[in-house]
Amino acid sequence: MKINVKAPAKINLSLDALYKRKDNYHELEMVMTTIDLADRLQLVLLEKDIIKLDVKAHFIPDDKRNLVYQAAALLKERFQIKQGVAMTLDKSIPVAAGLAGGSSDAAAALKGLNQLWDLKLTLAELADLGAELGSDIPFCLYGGTALATGRGEIIEPLPMMPNCWIVLAKPSISVSTPGVYRDLRVGEVEHPNTAGMVQAIRDNSFEGICDNIGNVLETVTLAKHPEVKRIKEKMLEFGADTALMSGSGPTVFALVKQYSRAKRVYNGLRGFCEEVYLVRPWQEEK
């Protein structure tokens, strides 16, 4: 038996950290949406009780350091699965980019293994398991557009965002997410209007989304990495309707209503950045 699952990337339309919790995580309010840039995971049932993972990318571990492997190990242990799996991961999402590539891969593994091993778990049950491995995994399981709160694991689905073009640009630097949160001063930053963003999505208003876009983590990453700030400025200069860093960075995305302008932003950025993508919001395949 063989199963193929797509693992789409996400962007944060709004990311707010409200306060530091007793467990040392931040209480978050985020509006996220999946986009049409995806990794692909193939799963093959094995009678032998082993987990095999082959990653078609450099510098990504194919052992228990990988969230895909951890997802399989968690299900095997929790449900005493005696069958095995051989998994092949084809990467298209940039690594360590603020696009939840690793989390989406793990979500794809949970979905695929639920089918492969006939576990009959609901999406909510899979999301609870995913939350044990990473805060972004529950959102990646639900996909679409959603409000995520708590550590990011409490998901309230929202309508699909209006159709538009999305230009992504990732500079060739890496950013430490724990380091960004450590340096964030929640009492000293301007907080995005999460309620305004949620309403804009409910109203299917592209203009409302552009008006309410915001990410408190920019205050840290843009100050430390001027090249991220420069990409954002260039996007606006080339004609983007709005631009924002996704997650803790370093990827910046532009939202553009018209294809001709999106193409201009995309072409302009290729002079500044090796990794540039022109995509759309994710449409679930029928």
Side-chain angles (χ1 to χ4, degrees), residues 17-58:
L18 306 178
Y19 56 84
K20 188 89 169 278
R21 300 165 17 152
K22 286 179 182 169
D23 61 7
N24 272 334
Y25 286 98
H26 282 80
E27 182 68 23
L28 301 175
E29 273 186 351
M30 303 183 286
V31 177
M32 300 192 277
T33 193
T34 39
I35 60 173
D36 190 17
L37 173 66
D39 294 341
R40 284 170 173 75
L41 184 67
Q42 183 179 86
L43 306 98
V44 179
L45 187 66
L46 299 177
E47 286 312 312
K48 197 174 177 188
D49 189 5
I50 55 169
I51 299 169
K52 288 169 71 176
L53 175 61
D54 178 21
V55 184
K56 304 293 186 190
H58 298 299

Side-chain angles (χ1 to χ4, degrees), residues 1-254:
M1 189 178 176
K2 185 186 291 184
I3 289 171
N4 292 294
V5 192
K6 280 189 179 177
K10 65 85 187 161
I11 53 172
N12 295 85
L13 299 172
S14 181
L15 194 164
D16 197 8
L18 306 178
Y19 56 84
K20 188 89 169 278
R21 300 165 17 152
K22 286 179 182 169
D23 61 7
N24 272 334
Y25 286 98
H26 282 80
E27 182 68 23
L28 301 175
E29 273 186 351
M30 303 183 286
V31 177
M32 300 192 277
T33 193
T34 39
I35 60 173
D36 190 17
L37 173 66
D39 294 341
R40 284 170 173 75
L41 184 67
Q42 183 179 86
L43 306 98
V44 179
L45 187 66
L46 299 177
E47 286 312 312
K48 197 174 177 188
D49 189 5
I50 55 169
I51 299 169
K52 288 169 71 176
L53 175 61
D54 178 21
V55 184
K56 304 293 186 190
H58 298 299
F59 316 120
I60 298 178
D62 57 4
D63 53 23
K64 55 189 68 171
R65 291 169 294 168
N66 191 300
L67 280 171
V68 170
Y69 192 106
Q70 290 172 32
L74 177 64
L75 289 179
K76 275 182 76 62
E77 183 195 355
R78 196 66 50 90
F79 300 100
Q80 278 88 54
I81 306 297
K82 297 305 176 199
Q83 292 171 306
V85 62
M87 299 180 285
T88 305
L89 178 62
D90 277 304
K91 291 291 293 178
S92 295
I93 303 170
V95 179
L99 300 172
S103 297
S104 192
D105 296 343
L110 290 169
K111 274 185 184 170
L113 290 166
N114 188 37
Q115 203 178 331
L116 194 76
W117 289 336
D118 197 27
L119 298 175
K120 298 184 171 64
L121 297 168
T122 65
L123 198 53
E125 287 169 330
L126 287 174
D128 285 343
L129 287 161
E132 295 180 33
L133 298 171
S135 304
D136 278 340
I137 296 174
F139 167 76
C140 294
L141 279 156
Y142 283 95
T145 306
L147 172 67
T149 53
R151 288 188 294 120
E153 82 284 11
I154 303 164
I155 306 299
E156 182 190 327
L158 294 169
M160 282 188 346
M161 76 172 285
N163 222 336
C164 62
W165 294 92
I166 301 164
V167 183
L168 302 166
K170 179 190 178 282
S172 53
I173 58 169
S174 58
V175 170
S176 159
T177 300
V180 171
Y181 276 105
R182 193 173 53 243
D183 292 343
L184 178 65
R185 301 289 174 260
V186 290
E188 300 167 20
V189 296
E190 191 179 331
H191 293 267
N193 182 359
T194 309
M197 176 59 76
V198 169
Q199 193 56 50
I201 288 164
R202 292 197 195 284
D203 293 342
N204 197 40
S205 169
F206 179 76
E207 292 72 22
I209 288 171
C210 292
D211 289 344
N212 289 289
I213 208 157
N215 180 351
V216 288
L217 301 184
E218 280 193 341
T219 57
V220 179
T221 305
L222 267 58
K224 282 186 176 176
H225 302 284
E227 55 269 63
V228 179
K229 185 167 185 261
R230 186 162 170 248
I231 287 170
K232 185 179 175 182
E233 287 166 351
K234 287 290 173 193
M235 283 179 166
L236 296 168
E237 198 180 298
F238 293 139
D241 291 303
T242 191
L244 191 73
M245 183 181 80
S246 187
S248 56
T251 301
V252 184
F253 67 88

